[in-house]
Amino acid sequence: MLEFFQSERGKQVFGEETAANLTKQAKEVKTKGGKYCFCPACTAGVELLKRKAEIL
């Protein structure tokens, strides 16, 4: 997502300020070793993957 937030299309979709804030947040997550997007959908998806054995 970082690349998208920094792209011209990302800036069009989110607006300059929001895209900049999302870029900052994504960089912080990456710096701390995060592997996945930090949005609610991806966060929930990661949790589901962790519990895959329980679900299946």
Side-chain angles (χ1 to χ4, degrees), residues 5-35:
F5 295 147
Q6 295 174 325
S7 72
E8 287 304 312
R9 183 68 180 133
K11 292 173 187 174
Q12 290 172 352
V13 170
F14 296 108
E16 291 277 339
E17 185 177 340
T18 300
N21 289 336
L22 291 169
T23 296
K24 181 181 175 186
Q25 188 176 0
K27 286 181 177 181
E28 288 172 1
V29 169
K30 189 174 181 177
T31 299
K32 292 177 182 176
K35 294 182 182 182

